[in-house]
Amino acid sequence: MEERLGFIGLGVMGQAMARHLADEYPLAVWNRTPERMAPLIEEGCRGAASASQVVQASDIVFLMLSNDGAVSAVAEGPEGLLEALRPGQVVVDHSTISPAETRRLADLVSSCGAEWMDAPVTGGDIGAREATLTIMAGGTSNTYQRVLPYLQKMGRRILHVGPVGQGQTLKLTANLVSCLTLMAASEGVRMGLELGLAVEDLATVMNYGSAQSYELKKVLDRWNAQDFNPGFSVENRYKDLKLALDLARQRGFDATLAEAAEPLYRQHLEQGFGAVDEASYIQRWTKGE
Amino acid sequence: MEERLGFIGLGVMGQAMARHLADEYPLAVWNRTPERMAPLIEEGCRGAASASQVVQASDIVFLMLSNDGAVSAVAEGPEGLLEALRPGQVVVDHSTISPAETRRLADLVSSCGAEWMDAPVTGGDIGAREATLTIMAGGTSNTYQRVLPYLQKMGRRILHVGPVGQGQTLKLTANLVSCLTLMAASEGVRMGLELGLAVEDLATVMNYGSAQSYELKKVLDRWNAQDFNPGFSVENRYKDLKLALDLARQRGFDATLAEAAEPLYRQHLEQGFGAVDEASYIQRWTKGE
């Protein structure tokens, strides 16, 4: 039996992911801003008028939304998922949201006889476009086996990491590490520059030694180019940091370093850097803080 | 004119570095613990009775010692460098010590008409053995050109990064970044484990995403192997962290994240982890802190 698929949330990531599914299966799509649906409808997807309509037309509905509020609005709002969900259906949420909200929504969906699976992704725009995402799924084994063929169309490394909520837990943990690694790199690079060292000497020593990290290389490359405009924004990273810290606090985990980092990051945001790349953190000192 | 070379400080690193010089040039050696000299003497080096004697037998003297105190003792102590230094000689210090102590010793050496060059290294035991070290030199351009051929026998990436002290400044900055990156990785890995995730899932997601770093991989590998014994010790890393923090404070740089990290690292040391690998930091929580 061929399953009918639906996709809600067609931002840059969602659009690229939906396209990989649409390449192989009939797909119903919906987006709050309808213009975002147009390219996929042109390519043969069926445009729906609401989240409920996507549920009516599908067995499995994939979500890719920006935060807890957006996911809750699509699930619980008027013409939302819950108004239409039937027993046996599955909602696969690729958004990055809190494990607590995930479990709450999973309970609501479960009372309709349907099932929730959290399946946040890493790999960014490029990973979404090239179908090389890492996808970490939380849910039952049966549901994981059922959705795995579809996840494999969108990603390269697909993991079942535990029950509902554990996908989000892993995603937030990984985000915490990259955020703190970015700040470690930024603090060091800025210190080196302030103490009179050349950025290329910092790069030669640190990119090849034990200071090496993905974030360090990004900071050095962007500082070299003096380009902080495109990329992963300070605002988005701060959202991720807060989600990870909330999770740590709720679960009684003492994230000392993250607690120290949070106000620094927040100050950077408040100084008006919200929309630029997070590598701009290195500029905090130069802007006369 | 062939220059006469000397090497003082024959620990694991120093011995390997001295051997590369001895492969090509006559070399006088000295070590506080005389047994360490034996293998090099067997291979044809001339064993000296004191640091002064090495200076008498050499035009350029290389040092590889463990800390500020050891370098100062060799330079200023009885039968030390300063008792014998003559105009035109050069002391090249490969040890990792403070820039302030470096400048103080450079002044003393300069008053003998000789010159000091700080040239700390990264790359560890393996880099020393395979002559693939990164060497960051601080000093005058003339002296750098004079010693460069010898540095090239010991390392692969050789950089002249500024006047005396700047080699140490760069080394301490790189150490600060790796120490903070280690703590970022450790905090995240520990959080993931406490919240019920499997170490292999943490590794799959984080080693291939933006959380990636040299230190993260080390933490995950060692946690997997449950082996914290060999490697770079907590004690040595704490010394490096303190040197970097002292430098930041002296120069008025606000190293907020490092200030937050220092007490965590110190507590780990005080709990008796000093001699084991720094990746053991992840155990801090499990030992009932």
Side-chain angles (χ1 to χ4, degrees):
Chain A
M1 179 201 74
E2 178 117 308
E3 304 218 69
R4 296 168 308 150
L5 307 183
F7 207 108
I8 293 173
L10 303 170
V12 176
M13 297 281 291
Q15 198 155 128
M17 293 164 72
R19 188 165 280 126
H20 295 302
L21 293 178
D23 281 348
E24 305 243 1
Y25 308 98
L27 188 71
V29 297
W30 182 72
N31 193 74
R32 196 168 46 115
T33 319
E35 299 79 60
R36 288 272 174 82
M37 295 161 61
L40 285 163
I41 291 171
E42 264 176 48
E43 293 166 33
C45 292
R46 175 176 162 193
S50 66
S52 296
Q53 272 203 8
V54 173
V55 172
Q56 280 151 15
S58 315
D59 300 302
I60 303 177
V61 179
F62 299 85
L63 312 182
M64 187 57 173
L65 299 159
S66 57
N67 55 38
D68 284 36
V71 175
S72 150
V74 160
E76 305 175 277
E79 301 186 89
L81 304 176
L82 287 166
E83 288 185 8
L85 273 173
R86 300 177 312 276
Q89 287 185 304
V90 178
V91 178
V92 179
D93 182 21
H94 292 298
S95 324
T96 295
I97 68 169
S98 73
E101 180 70 355
T102 293
R103 287 193 200 93
R104 190 182 70 80
L105 292 168
D107 284 345
L108 291 174
V109 161
S110 168
S111 66
C112 304
E115 214 172 308
W116 188 276
M117 169 159 274
D118 50 317
V121 307
T122 62
D125 301 2
I126 295 170
R129 204 162 56 237
E130 299 178 352
T132 56
L133 294 171
T134 296
I135 306 179
M136 49 214 100
T140 63
S141 293
N142 282 346
T143 299
Y144 178 70
Q145 290 307 326
R146 182 173 163 194
V147 303
L148 182 58
Y150 312 114
L151 302 182
Q152 284 169 336
K153 300 289 172 222
M154 299 182 281
R156 177 194 288 162
R157 287 185 198 86
I158 321 292
L159 298 86
H160 182 213
V161 300
V164 163
Q166 287 299 78
Q168 299 294 357
T169 297
L170 178 46
K171 176 72 193 290
L172 299 189
T173 300
N175 282 350
L176 186 78
V177 172
S178 48
C179 183
L180 293 178
T181 302
L182 169 76
M183 295 192 66
S186 299
E187 186 156 300
V189 170
R190 189 68 215 154
M191 174 161 145
L193 295 172
E194 293 245 327
L195 301 191
L197 295 164
V199 68
E200 54 270 30
D201 291 336
L202 290 165
T204 302
V205 170
M206 299 206 288
N207 280 336
Y208 296 98
S210 60
Q212 179 278 330
S213 68
Y214 173 93
E215 295 290 356
L216 173 71
K217 184 165 188 322
K218 188 168 104 168
V219 166
L220 288 165
D221 288 352
R222 284 187 177 262
W223 181 260
N224 246 338
Q226 286 290 306
D227 173 13
F228 300 104
N229 275 315
F232 196 73
S233 75
V234 171
E235 212 160 50
N236 279 330
R237 179 63 86 182
Y238 184 68
K239 173 207 135 192
D240 287 346
L241 176 60
K242 281 290 289 174
L243 282 174
L245 264 178
D246 288 347
L247 173 62
R249 288 169 188 163
Q250 285 158 16
R251 302 285 295 272
F253 179 79
D254 175 21
T256 320
L257 207 63
E259 293 288 355
E262 189 273 338
L264 299 178
Y265 220 89
R266 178 164 35 79
Q267 283 159 29
H268 188 55
L269 185 69
E270 287 166 0
Q271 281 165 23
F273 286 94
V276 303
D277 188 85
E278 54 174 343
S280 67
Y281 183 76
I282 198 178
Q283 296 185 304
R284 194 172 68 90
W285 291 268
T286 47
K287 296 273 165 163
E289 186 243 11
Chain B
M1 178 202 72
E2 177 117 309
E3 305 218 67
R4 296 169 309 150
L5 307 183
F7 206 107
I8 294 173
L10 304 170
V12 177
M13 298 279 294
Q15 197 156 128
M17 293 164 72
R19 188 165 282 125
H20 294 302
L21 294 178
D23 281 348
E24 305 243 1
Y25 308 98
L27 187 71
V29 296
W30 182 73
N31 193 73
R32 194 167 47 115
T33 319
E35 298 80 58
R36 288 272 172 83
M37 296 161 60
L40 285 163
I41 292 170
E42 264 176 47
E43 294 166 32
C45 293
R46 175 175 161 192
S50 67
S52 298
Q53 272 203 7
V54 174
V55 173
Q56 281 151 14
S58 316
D59 300 302
I60 303 177
V61 179
F62 299 85
L63 312 182
M64 186 57 173
L65 299 159
S66 57
N67 53 39
D68 284 36
V71 175
S72 150
V74 160
E76 305 176 276
E79 301 185 272
L81 305 175
L82 287 166
E83 288 185 8
L85 274 173
R86 302 176 311 274
Q89 287 185 303
V90 178
V91 179
V92 179
D93 182 22
H94 293 298
S95 324
T96 295
I97 68 169
S98 73
E101 179 70 356
T102 293
R103 289 194 200 92
R104 189 181 71 81
L105 292 168
D107 284 346
L108 292 175
V109 161
S110 168
S111 66
C112 304
E115 213 171 309
W116 187 276
M117 168 157 276
D118 50 318
V121 307
T122 62
D125 301 2
I126 296 171
R129 204 163 54 237
E130 299 179 351
T132 56
L133 294 170
T134 296
I135 306 179
M136 48 212 101
T140 64
S141 294
N142 282 345
T143 299
Y144 178 71
Q145 290 307 326
R146 181 173 162 195
V147 303
L148 183 57
Y150 311 113
L151 301 183
Q152 285 168 336
K153 301 289 173 220
M154 298 182 281
R156 178 194 287 161
R157 290 185 195 86
I158 321 292
L159 297 84
H160 182 212
V161 300
V164 162
Q166 288 298 78
Q168 300 293 358
T169 297
L170 179 45
K171 177 73 194 291
L172 298 189
T173 300
N175 281 349
L176 185 78
V177 172
S178 46
C179 183
L180 293 178
T181 302
L182 169 76
M183 295 192 66
S186 299
E187 186 156 302
V189 171
R190 188 68 214 155
M191 173 160 145
L193 294 173
E194 293 246 327
L195 301 191
L197 295 165
V199 68
E200 54 271 30
D201 291 336
L202 289 165
T204 302
V205 169
M206 299 206 290
N207 280 336
Y208 296 97
S210 61
Q212 179 279 331
S213 68
Y214 173 92
E215 295 290 355
L216 172 70
K217 185 167 186 323
K218 187 169 102 165
V219 166
L220 287 165
D221 288 351
R222 284 188 177 262
W223 181 261
N224 247 336
Q226 287 290 306
D227 174 12
F228 300 103
N229 275 316
F232 196 73
S233 75
V234 170
E235 213 160 52
N236 279 331
R237 180 63 86 180
Y238 185 68
K239 172 207 136 192
D240 287 346
L241 176 59
K242 282 289 290 173
L243 282 173
L245 264 177
D246 288 347
L247 173 61
R249 288 168 188 163
Q250 285 158 17
R251 302 285 295 271
F253 179 79
D254 174 21
T256 319
L257 208 61
E259 293 287 357
E262 189 273 338
L264 298 178
Y265 220 87
R266 178 163 35 78
Q267 284 159 29
H268 187 55
L269 186 69
E270 287 166 358
Q271 282 166 22
F273 287 93
V276 302
D277 187 86
E278 54 173 344
S280 68
Y281 182 76
I282 197 179
Q283 296 187 303
R284 194 172 69 89
W285 290 268
T286 49
K287 295 274 167 166
E289 187 245 10

